[in-house]
Amino acid sequence: MDKKDLAKKAIEAKKFSYAPYSNFHVGAALLTDDDEIFTGTNIENSSYGLTMCAERVAVFKAISGGKRKFKAIAITTDLEEFCPPCGACRQVMNDLCGKNLVVILVNSKMEMKTFKMENLLPHSFGDDLLK
């Protein structure tokens, strides 16, 4: 699967966003090492701290489905700018998907910018420090 196909899956997932308070819609598509895709979208709650980001929804769906190895994640919003994942999502993706995960940001014009997870969360805290 190429970046553009993964981006299209994230855009498709964004349609299911539940964002009645912020009206900020996010979609994510996570690609496993065996080419399975898990999608996620942001789900807001009136208690904002209980809101779940699209990236974490996709990761948690994959983990709860028994997947442990990942290649890439595409993340999209309705913004013309590239919108990187929040700090909580960066930590979760770093811990559960690994430092080599390819992170593809997709803007509203279907332009893409690609990073490695280790570049989005340098000097990260992880399981290597807990051993």
Side-chain angles (χ1 to χ4, degrees), residues 7-19:
K8 286 178 184 177
K9 293 288 187 184
I11 291 167
E12 190 176 306
K14 183 176 62 171
K15 295 176 188 173
F16 299 104
S17 171
Y18 181 74

Side-chain angles (χ1 to χ4, degrees), residues 1-115:
M1 169 160 295
D2 69 8
K3 289 189 327 184
K4 195 170 191 174
D5 290 332
L6 194 61
K8 286 178 184 177
K9 293 288 187 184
I11 291 167
E12 190 176 306
K14 183 176 62 171
K15 295 176 188 173
F16 299 104
S17 171
Y18 181 74
Y21 308 106
S22 71
N23 201 34
F24 188 77
H25 304 277
V26 184
L30 178 64
L31 181 65
T32 67
D33 68 334
D34 59 355
D35 295 325
E36 192 171 346
I37 296 172
F38 288 84
T39 59
T41 190
N42 59 317
I43 303 166
E44 291 183 350
N45 186 281
S46 60
S47 174
Y48 286 107
L50 299 178
T51 293
M52 186 61 66
C53 298
E55 302 91 325
R56 284 182 283 152
V57 169
V59 170
F60 294 160
K61 282 170 65 175
I63 294 291
S64 66
K67 301 300 177 177
R68 298 292 186 269
K69 295 183 180 179
F70 306 97
K71 294 180 187 177
I73 188 168
I75 305 162
T76 188
T77 68
D78 294 326
L79 298 176
E80 287 187 24
E81 300 83 19
F82 294 102
C83 185
C86 73
C89 288
R90 291 178 197 211
Q91 183 66 42
V92 166
M93 291 187 304
N94 185 72
D95 276 11
L96 300 177
C97 301
K99 298 176 189 292
N100 291 318
L101 180 72
V102 174
V103 179
I104 306 157
L105 305 181
V106 185
N107 67 10
S108 64
K109 298 183 269 185
M110 194 57 183
E111 297 168 328
M112 291 177 246
K113 199 172 201 179
T114 303
F115 300 89

